[in-house]
Amino acid sequence: MAAQFPEVSKSSSLHPKPPGLILQYGTAGFRTVAAHLDHVMFRMGLLATLRSKKTKSTIGVMVTASHNPEEDNGVKLVDPMGEMVTPAWEGYATQLANAEDADLLTALEDIITKEEIDMSQEANVFVGRDTRSSSASLSDAVLDGVSSLSAGSKDYGLVTTPQLHYMVRCQNTQGKYGEATVDGYYKKLSQAFLQLLKNASNCTDDQKHLSLDGANGIGALKVREMDSHLAKELQISLYNDGSNGKLNFQCGADFVKVQQKAPTGFEVKPGERCCSFDGDADRIVYYYTDSDGQFHLLDGDKIATLISTYLKELLTQASLNLNMAVVQTAYANGSSTRYLENTMKLAVKCAKTGVKHLHHIAQEFDIGVYFEANGHGTVLFSESAEEKIQQLIDNPNSDDEKKRAALLLQNSISVINQTVGDAISDMLLIEAILAIKGMTVQQWDAIYTDLPNRQLKVKVADRRVIDTTDAERRAVTPAGLQDAIDALVKKYRLARSFVRPSGTEDVVRVYAEAITQESADALAHEVSLAVYRLAGGVGDEPKPLH
Ligand code: 16G
Ligand code: MG
């Protein structure tokens, strides 16, 4: 059989696998030190080609390690509608990446047989990359894989992760979703944004100003490119634009969220609206500092609340009966969930950590708003929701208020990147909502008050001994752990805690929230101790925080 793919054998020898190296297609693709990834990239070029033949569609491959350090890299596959690749193929990705060189063709043929792939079918692969110094040669390795199976490809070069997802969807909908070019992306989003802003009266220059931390990554480059499309309706001061700082180093959305402080290289004036992207611009968080110098974070939960409240108001004004839900994970602050359910009367669903899980649940609704607390999220609209909105706009009998609301909904849909969380798109939507509502960042922050919380990590011998259920909110194994957590939670007011094995690091993550920071810290520590004792902790016992 090997004779069938002479080009694959030949090219593969240029991308040898370090013998014995085992990697896993994790929550968001492969991710590790860049030096270990050349063979993985070549093979993901092969796999994307097979997936393209199987789906008779264009498939995307994005070279990035998101918020990881500059020295790392990674790769994610993008399915035909711009969503993350389907789980069965994540398994194939792992098999293919881990086959020793001599077994590569067998591993390839195994997938072809299992999936009954017609190798005469044409294939096309879109490739994009972030600004890491290793990304150019790694994306060349992907392209080598694609061409060794004689498939077509387009190299988009430097793009954000969500831009590549967007291109794939545009291509596979024959342009219905938009034009599959970076310029087409800017035009679609900015035109919708400018339409939305026509509904914002008396917006001062102060309100139009936003300070943005680009994490020294691709997002900064792309915001600069887009700037001329925004007609000064959004005036961005760009920091950490990559001109001298290091990617993700003491900056970016992950740093800000985890450290709960402003990035370095960033001048935060009191009261000023600021935001941070992560290294591949698929996450965003907002923040400001008050007159006492106190830092305030507006994370994915606050963003989901702002967006869902705004959409609900428009649905009411348009008298549109569409079912809408907000999808969160167990990390969502309890105050946000309570506010959405009790005050906004919205359906709230809880998904397992990882964008694909939230995306999947959001698809079950006419309008599914999904956000992880870390700032990754978007809004999905069903085809029938989009049709109903269009009908209202086209109907000569619709009154002005309904028509206005329907047009706002339609332009909001156009600003949103429905394929995946997109920092640029989310930023434009948030900025438009704040402008339309005449709302300051402080007023947005005041919608509800976050419960104090704490996240800790515990090292254990094998984190797989922890198995969870109920969207990771309860531990099924090891025996006794959940009972211990339940008993600890009972000691504190408004408390909640859960533990889960990380999908990206060799640790168990502990989350706790409670009425005061002291109780949240104490609870997180006590739960960490329970994990250490019951789940095979290694190294020193966790120490109290205070
Ligand atoms: C990945 C996920 C992110 C999730 C995080 C959890 C995507 C694109 N990214 O970065 O959504 O929050 O993993 O990491 O799915 P953890 O399992 O280490 O807590
Ligand atoms: Mg990212």
Side-chain angles (χ1 to χ4, degrees):
M1 274 279 241
Q4 270 196 356
F5 302 113
E7 281 306 313
V8 173
S9 306
K10 221 165 85 193
S11 303
S12 171
S13 63
L14 302 172
H15 304 283
K17 174 183 180 293
L21 178 68
I22 300 289
L23 298 168
Q24 193 78 30
Y25 195 98
T27 318
F30 291 104
R31 220 177 265 188
T32 186
V33 284
H36 283 167
L37 281 168
D38 184 66
H39 69 293
V40 174
M41 297 293 169
F42 172 74
R43 292 159 183 218
M44 288 310 104
L46 300 177
L47 189 70
T49 303
L50 296 191
R51 181 80 186 138
S52 172
K53 289 179 190 285
K54 169 81 186 185
T55 58
K56 301 186 172 56
S57 307
T58 294
I59 293 297
V61 181
M62 181 71 196
V63 177
T64 179
S66 185
H67 56 277
N68 283 38
E70 153 80 32
E71 300 70 40
D72 286 358
N73 218 321
V75 58
K76 310 185 204 186
L77 297 183
V78 181
D79 250 4
M81 286 307 277
E83 70 280 40
M84 309 255 172
V85 75
T86 193
W89 282 68
E90 291 183 0
Y92 294 146
T94 302
Q95 282 166 26
L96 207 58
N98 293 328
E100 296 302 332
D101 284 336
D103 307 326
L104 179 60
L105 292 185
T106 315
L108 197 64
E109 274 151 13
D110 194 40
I111 300 169
I112 296 170
T113 311
K114 271 200 194 123
E115 289 291 326
E116 298 174 356
I117 293 168
D118 170 8
M119 290 305 284
S120 67
Q121 173 68 39
E122 283 187 7
N124 192 31
V125 177
F126 282 179
V127 181
R129 64 171 200 267
D130 72 10
T131 53
R132 288 178 160 78
S133 54
S134 59
S135 291
S137 74
L138 290 177
S139 80
D140 284 345
V142 175
L143 290 162
D144 269 4
V146 176
S147 62
S148 74
L149 283 173
S150 311
S153 64
K154 180 164 177 176
D155 181 7
Y156 279 89
L158 292 167
V159 282
T160 69
T161 295
Q163 283 177 332
L164 187 78
H165 284 251
Y166 174 90
M167 302 308 164
V168 170
R169 178 142 169 176
C170 289
Q171 180 72 12
N172 290 320
T173 55
Q174 286 74 44
K176 250 180 75 190
Y177 194 65
E179 193 196 306
T181 62
V182 175
D183 207 47
Y185 169 94
Y186 296 138
K187 282 198 180 116
K188 179 178 173 187
L189 269 63
S190 61
Q191 275 167 14
F193 173 73
L194 294 176
Q195 286 301 322
L196 286 173
L197 277 213
K198 288 189 179 152
N199 296 273
S201 47
N202 309 323
C203 216
T204 62
D205 268 4
D206 250 12
Q207 284 160 329
K208 289 179 187 171
H209 183 259
L210 175 68
S211 291
L212 168 67
D213 153 32
N216 291 315
I218 183 69
L221 251 66
K222 296 295 153 178
V223 161
R224 187 154 279 149
E225 263 176 34
M226 189 181 58
D227 196 49
S228 62
H229 295 266
L230 296 175
K232 300 226 163 24
E233 286 298 331
L234 178 60
Q235 294 161 21
I236 298 173
S237 298
L238 189 55
Y239 298 89
N240 298 323
D241 65 352
S243 51
N244 43 48
K246 196 171 168 188
L247 176 70
N248 297 327
F249 182 67
Q250 296 190 337
C251 62
D254 199 61
F255 173 87
V256 173
K257 168 79 183 160
V258 174
Q259 303 291 324
Q260 305 259 334
K261 62 179 186 200
T264 51
F266 201 91
E267 192 192 326
V268 187
K269 298 192 197 84
E272 200 173 68
R273 203 163 66 247
C274 310
C275 67
S276 285
F277 289 5
D278 76 336
D280 64 340
D282 65 354
R283 287 192 198 179
I284 184 169
V285 294
Y286 271 73
Y287 45 93
Y288 68 96
T289 311
D290 63 25
S291 45
D292 299 331
Q294 173 98 27
F295 177 82
H296 295 259
L297 177 71
L298 292 94
D299 63 2
D301 303 335
K302 288 257 155 127
I303 296 173
T305 304
L306 181 75
I307 296 175
S308 55
T309 304
Y310 160 79
L311 292 176
K312 188 173 173 180
E313 284 164 6
L314 291 181
L315 290 180
T316 308
Q317 286 163 21
S319 305
L320 271 171
N321 190 12
L322 297 174
N323 69 359
M324 176 161 128
V326 180
V327 187
Q328 308 182 311
T329 69
Y331 289 107
N333 196 276
S335 289
S336 74
T337 314
R338 262 188 287 279
Y339 177 82
L340 289 166
E341 282 180 335
N342 303 345
T343 310
M344 290 310 300
K345 308 283 179 219
L346 279 163
V348 180
K349 304 283 163 191
C350 188
K352 291 202 299 198
T353 301
V355 172
K356 59 190 171 216
H357 302 297
L358 289 101
H359 191 95
H360 191 70
I361 295 183
Q363 279 174 324
E364 293 168 17
F365 300 88
D366 286 325
I367 303 181
V369 180
Y370 75 82
F371 268 89
E372 287 193 301
N374 63 26
H376 185 118
T378 187
V379 188
L380 306 185
F381 296 83
S382 70
E383 229 168 274
S384 95
E386 292 200 29
E387 276 163 18
K388 282 184 186 155
I389 292 164
Q390 185 64 52
Q391 280 161 12
L392 204 56
I393 294 168
D394 295 340
N395 184 350
N397 299 324
S398 302
D399 65 39
D400 285 353
E401 194 203 349
K402 285 191 185 144
K403 212 166 237 178
R404 175 181 177 272
L407 276 166
L408 280 168
L409 280 165
Q410 195 171 53
N411 282 311
S412 302
I413 295 174
S414 296
V415 137
I416 290 165
N417 184 346
Q418 293 191 54
T419 62
V420 77
D422 181 335
I424 293 181
S425 144
D426 288 338
M427 172 186 77
L428 293 178
L429 180 64
I430 293 163
E431 291 299 311
I433 296 173
L434 293 176
I436 292 167
K437 287 168 135 327
M439 208 177 201
T440 63
V441 69
Q442 292 84 351
Q443 287 166 331
W444 170 22
D445 191 31
I447 293 178
Y448 65 83
T449 307
D450 275 323
L451 275 176
N453 57 85
R454 178 65 63 193
Q455 286 196 49
L456 296 174
K457 302 179 193 182
V458 184
K459 277 229 162 253
V460 297
D462 179 3
R463 68 195 199 277
R464 289 171 302 182
V465 301
I466 297 192
D467 194 14
T468 64
T469 182
D470 192 18
E472 301 176 323
R473 288 173 292 191
R474 297 189 65 78
V476 189
T477 60
L481 180 58
Q482 189 58 49
D483 290 342
I485 296 173
D486 289 343
L488 293 168
V489 165
K490 277 208 191 105
K491 292 168 51 184
Y492 302 97
R493 282 187 56 209
L494 286 181
R496 191 168 68 88
S497 180
F498 67 90
V499 302
R500 54 175 281 279
S502 158
T504 65
E505 247 186 281
D506 190 13
V507 294
V508 174
R509 295 202 193 281
V510 172
Y511 177 89
E513 64 184 30
I515 189 131
T516 62
Q517 191 64 55
E518 290 67 34
S519 346
D521 288 353
L523 178 58
H525 168 65
E526 289 161 354
V527 171
S528 300
L529 269 183
V531 170
Y532 182 87
R533 288 173 187 157
L534 295 167
V538 294
D540 291 341
E541 219 176 57
K543 302 250 173 335
L545 283 122
H546 301 288

